[in-house]
Amino acid sequence: MAYGFMIEMWGDRALFTRPEFSVERMSYDVITPSAARGIIESVFWHPGLLYRIDRIHVLNPIRFTNVRRNEVKSKALGSSLRSAASGTAPLPYINTKEDIQQRASTILTGVHYVVEAHFDMTDKAVEADNPGKFCEMLKRRLRKGQCYSQPYLGTREFPAFVKEWNPNKPVSVCEENRGERDLGFMLYDMDYSDPRNIVPMFYRAVMRDGVIDVAGSEVHR
């Protein structure tokens, strides 16, 4: 049995990076389902449940701005970490003074969403686990502002604010988001079923009167 809920998410800035841009960062027009799932998991996560995003309500107009951000050009390689763990190589590190570089980023400003989601029980749930308990735990943490880690909107320097949305309260969107708007293919999530071959999944995001029906969209691999 799936338990549904609605969560309000907002922040001053957001960056949901498009994977097709390898150097300069360019944000999607709206939050991705995987980013929304990550925000929910930062509030409450348990191996016995799996969150699924149903709909995304875009309350504010979609606005972009350009900034320059300090980043590092190197990456920590998994092979280097495995060699260090086995004792055949020294522990790798990144020297930020040597690897730092400025990159231009096109980010979103003034984002505000209401996300409809539900969770399914997984085979990792034990006999004492039940959907009703998990649903109440999630809602209680939302009401108290509790989280396991700071929720963020795409990148960690853009914090997200979250709270429970009353399902009996209507969701109003701005006039600019009325009508139909095709946002193109967006990242849906990553398929981790095979750890040796992690596959990205995409879906065609169409916003109708400020609402993106994620559950009703076809997912492409």
Side-chain angles (χ1 to χ4, degrees), residues 62-210:
I62 299 173
R63 297 281 187 266
F64 289 94
T65 190
N66 295 313
V67 298
R68 298 192 69 86
R69 303 159 64 240
N70 290 328
E71 300 185 11
V72 293
K73 57 186 177 182
S74 301
K75 294 183 179 180
L77 300 178
S79 57
S80 300
L81 294 173
R82 284 192 295 268
S83 298
S86 63
T88 58
L91 186 67
Y93 73 98
I94 296 176
N95 189 327
T96 56
K97 289 186 178 181
E98 295 179 358
D99 287 356
I100 196 169
Q101 62 179 204
Q102 278 199 340
R103 288 183 179 177
S105 299
T106 301
I107 66 174
L108 294 165
T109 60
V111 298
H112 195 177
Y113 310 107
V114 172
V115 175
E116 294 184 49
H118 71 275
F119 65 81
D120 297 322
M121 302 295 289
T122 71
D123 55 4
K124 294 184 179 180
V126 299
E127 187 175 348
D129 296 331
N130 65 81
K133 179 182 72 173
F134 285 154
C135 190
E136 286 304 314
M137 291 175 68
L138 171 63
K139 291 182 178 181
R140 183 170 63 249
R141 293 179 67 83
L142 284 169
R143 297 187 195 108
K144 293 183 177 181
Q146 297 174 324
C147 56
Y148 293 121
S149 60
Q150 172 62 55
Y152 55 89
L153 295 161
T155 56
R156 293 187 183 277
E157 61 263 47
F158 301 142
F161 302 94
V162 296
K163 69 177 182 179
E164 182 186 14
W165 182 271
N166 186 347
N168 298 319
K169 179 182 177 181
V171 182
S172 59
V173 299
C174 63
E175 286 299 321
E176 190 171 321
N177 292 343
R178 296 292 179 184
E180 183 172 312
R181 183 172 175 179
D182 189 346
L183 303 178
F185 281 98
M186 292 179 58
L187 180 67
Y188 174 77
D189 214 323
M190 305 296 288
D191 183 359
Y192 295 98
S193 57
D194 183 1
R196 296 181 178 273
N197 184 29
I198 301 174
V199 180
M201 299 180 291
F202 298 86
Y203 81 110
R204 191 66 174 263
V206 179
M207 184 171 67
R208 297 181 176 91
D209 292 331

Side-chain angles (χ1 to χ4, degrees), residues 2-9 36 40 44 49-55 114-120 134-135 138-139 142 164-165 167:
Y3 275 63
F5 48 88
M6 300 176 70
I7 298 180
E8 185 179 5
M9 308 174 179
I40 301 173
F44 177 67
L49 57 84
L50 176 64
Y51 292 110
R52 301 188 186 279
I53 306 302
D54 297 320
R55 279 169 291 278
V114 172
V115 175
E116 294 184 49
H118 71 275
F119 65 81
D120 297 322
F134 285 154
C135 190
L138 171 63
K139 291 182 178 181
L142 284 169
E164 182 186 14
W165 182 271

